[in-house]
Every structure is written in C-alpha cells, then in structure tokens.
Amino acid sequence: MQKSYKLTRERLTALEEELRYLKTVREKEVAEQIKEARSFGDLSENSEYDEAKNEQGRLFSRIAEIENVLMHASVIETEQLQADKVITGCRVRVVDLETEEEEEYTLVGSQEANPLKNLISDESPFGRALLGCAEGQEIRVEVPVGTLRYRVAGIQI
C-alpha cells in the first residue's frame, strides 16, 4: 500500500514550485554542464563529465521523489479543523512536567517536519503521543534516556 503524505497547502505549493524549477531551469543547467564537459574530450578521464552526470542523477532522483509525494499527497485543510483535540496541522503548547518549561510545536506530516523550527512529525514518537489529546491531558513519551512527561497546555488551529 502506498503511503499518503500529509501536507499543508503551503508545503504543497512549495513542492510544486520546486518541481517546476527543477524541470525547467535546473534541468537545462545540468544539460548544459554535461554538454560543456563533453567538449573537454576523453570521457574516460573527464571528472567534470562524471560530476555533471552525477548531478543529473541527483536531479532526476529529486524530481521523482517530489512527483511521488505530490501524487500521493493529502492536503491538511486547517479551515475545517476544530481545536478541541490535537490533530495534524494544529499548534500545540505543552508543559514539560519535570522542568515546568512551556514549548509550542506545530504538528505536521513527515514531509514538513523540522524540529529546529518546532515542526514535529505526526509519525514521530512525540507527535504520535500528542495526537488525539485534549487540553489539560498528560502524555508520556518513551525516549532512549527514559520517559518524558508533558501536559497539553493549549491547542490552536
């Protein structure tokens, strides 16, 4: 069974724009690099040609990856969400019960996850523990160093 990728409308648009750029601008640039490298002569010892072909492989791989994600994308419609339980697409404030520190995260699909920007995947252990929780509910998250405990302090769409 093919995996469905949960994306926000913004992420879907960004991927479509990246795909358009890769297929129009970048593909021509790489083709030009290959053409130029070919003009240097003997291909068996031509490192510029090898690098250009490797770049072409990376480009085609990225194009295929984006096309696969777009083909199996499921858009999270935040306008239709209710803020009574944690679901993918909402922002959630949690309090670490050990340190009493409050943090805010946005629960997103795996394609958008970026912990440095507090974008947490709904497939991560923390994200899975948050899914379906109501405000005030406590959760436990098993991590390699033990168990972390949090309380859901707020949910926003």
Side-chain angles (χ1 to χ4, degrees):
M1 184 172 162
Q2 179 61 43
K3 178 180 179 175
S4 176
Y5 299 97
K6 296 176 197 163
L7 304 174
T8 60
R9 178 79 47 208
E10 295 81 21
R11 179 66 178 158
L12 180 71
T13 301
L15 284 174
E16 290 169 339
E17 288 173 7
E18 182 183 355
L19 182 61
R20 195 171 13 266
Y21 167 77
L22 293 176
K23 284 184 158 185
T24 57
V25 177
R26 189 67 187 131
E27 198 168 343
K28 289 176 185 170
E29 291 172 349
V30 171
E32 188 58 37
Q33 287 174 348
I34 292 171
K35 181 180 174 184
E36 184 179 329
R38 259 195 199 129
S39 70
F40 296 149
D42 184 13
L43 298 182
S44 65
E45 295 181 17
N46 188 332
S47 63
E48 289 86 0
Y49 178 77
D50 290 341
E51 182 54 37
K53 289 299 280 185
N54 287 338
E55 180 62 26
Q56 184 182 47
R58 287 189 293 272
L59 173 67
F60 289 156
S61 176
R62 179 64 180 151
I63 288 171
E65 177 184 3
I66 294 172
E67 287 176 336
N68 182 52
V69 170
L70 293 176
M71 190 181 317
H72 299 98
S74 169
V75 178
I76 302 164
E77 299 293 349
T78 55
E79 305 83 39
Q80 299 171 0
L81 302 179
Q82 297 178 2
D84 58 341
K85 295 211 184 260
V86 176
I87 56 175
T88 305
C90 71
R91 283 194 314 271
V92 60
R93 283 183 328 198
V94 295
V95 176
D96 184 322
L97 295 177
E98 187 174 313
T99 64
E100 292 299 319
E101 289 183 31
E102 188 172 297
E103 299 166 354
E104 184 173 287
Y105 298 100
T106 302
L107 208 60
V108 296
S110 61
Q111 285 290 310
E112 293 181 75
N114 184 343
L116 297 176
K117 294 182 179 180
N118 288 355
L119 300 173
I120 304 300
S121 169
D122 58 358
E123 296 177 9
S124 69
F126 187 58
R128 279 195 309 268
L130 284 170
L131 282 174
C133 290
E135 194 170 320
Q137 191 170 342
E138 292 185 11
I139 64 167
R140 293 176 182 266
V141 182
E142 296 296 326
V143 294
V145 295
T147 302
L148 302 176
R149 293 183 13 208
Y150 293 92
R151 183 180 68 252
V152 177
I155 304 169
Q156 293 179 304
I157 300 302

